[in-house]
Amino acid sequence: MSKKYLTAVFLLGALVAAGALLATGVSAQGQSTDGGTGEEFVRVSADGSVEVEPDATEITLAVEARSDDPSAAREAVAENLSSVREALEGAGIEDDSFHSAGYTLREARPYERQEGDVPDHYARHTLRVTVNGTDSAGEIIDAAVEGGATAVSAVLFTVSGGRRGELQNHAPKAAMENARSQAEAVAGAGGISVSGVRSVSTASTDVSPVSYDRAAVEDAAAGGASTSVDPGPVEIGATVEVVYDAS
């Protein structure tokens, strides 16, 4: 059977971890000295990052229906969602791996009515599937679509919570190494040298996974070929602000 492939590099903020960690390029900004006040210091803001392999997948999909009768739209969504759940279980996805993530029942928007003869009501039930590993993303998408899913709005390749907590300090360490290097360069240019750390703070440690957009995922799921979504490395980034004593 032929396959369609997608590739991407996924970005996380600093609280993610992995087995083999790869320190990547880092940069510093906002370097400053005391300007001759007699108490010399160097302040830098530095970035650091590492690359890790993802070990978890999160897929957001939905069942949608339109009808002039709101009850009919609701019933159609409920029926199709049951079929999607059965299809996922048939594909080996345990029922505790997916749960409802949203529900909408509304009237058609004015802009939708402008597009033509659109039924008066729209219903949508969103389902989120979370599994360990990254190999089953395409299989999950195919099973869900065959079962009646009408939208696959996001695919996230991420790192499981246990690994995040275990190795959450790797990116800040890379940022600190770069901060020291940049501080020494600034101090040297000013004819002074840095010594100990006076203060340090973490400016950014948010987890920010990047996903395939809806159009890319649905294009991959369309047609008769099986879907394959290939994750790239996850990048973990952190920013630190450090003040060094100087003399």
Side-chain angles (χ1 to χ4, degrees), residues 28-188:
Q29 301 174 344
Q31 304 151 339
S32 64
T33 62
D34 74 325
T37 64
E39 187 178 344
E40 295 178 318
F41 65 87
V42 176
R43 176 185 291 113
V44 296
S45 176
D47 299 325
S49 64
V50 293
E51 287 188 349
V52 303
E53 293 300 320
D55 70 343
T57 305
E58 181 179 292
I59 299 174
T60 303
L61 52 92
V63 174
E64 303 163 300
R66 292 184 182 273
S67 175
D68 290 328
D69 181 354
S71 295
R74 176 185 58 78
E75 291 170 2
V77 163
E79 181 178 347
N80 288 343
L81 186 68
S82 295
S83 297
V84 170
R85 290 179 179 273
E86 291 176 2
L88 291 174
E89 291 175 355
I93 308 302
E94 298 180 359
D95 58 5
D96 60 356
S97 296
F98 49 87
H99 62 275
S100 295
Y103 187 86
T104 300
L105 178 60
R106 61 169 173 80
E107 293 184 345
R109 308 293 192 198
Y111 71 86
E112 293 173 328
R113 298 181 189 278
Q114 293 175 0
E115 296 177 357
D117 186 15
V118 176
D120 290 337
H121 293 86
Y122 168 82
R124 176 187 176 98
H125 196 141
T126 303
L127 201 65
R128 185 162 295 134
V129 184
T130 304
V131 296
N132 293 324
T134 60
D135 295 336
S136 61
E139 182 181 356
I140 292 171
I141 292 171
D142 289 341
V145 171
E146 291 171 6
T150 57
V152 183
S153 55
V155 176
L156 301 179
F157 291 103
T158 184
V159 178
S160 59
R163 293 174 68 204
R164 295 183 191 184
E166 180 184 353
L167 298 172
Q168 65 183 16
N169 294 325
H170 283 274
K173 285 180 180 178
M176 286 295 294
E177 291 174 1
N178 188 58
R180 182 76 186 195
S181 176
Q182 294 293 335
E184 290 175 350
V186 171

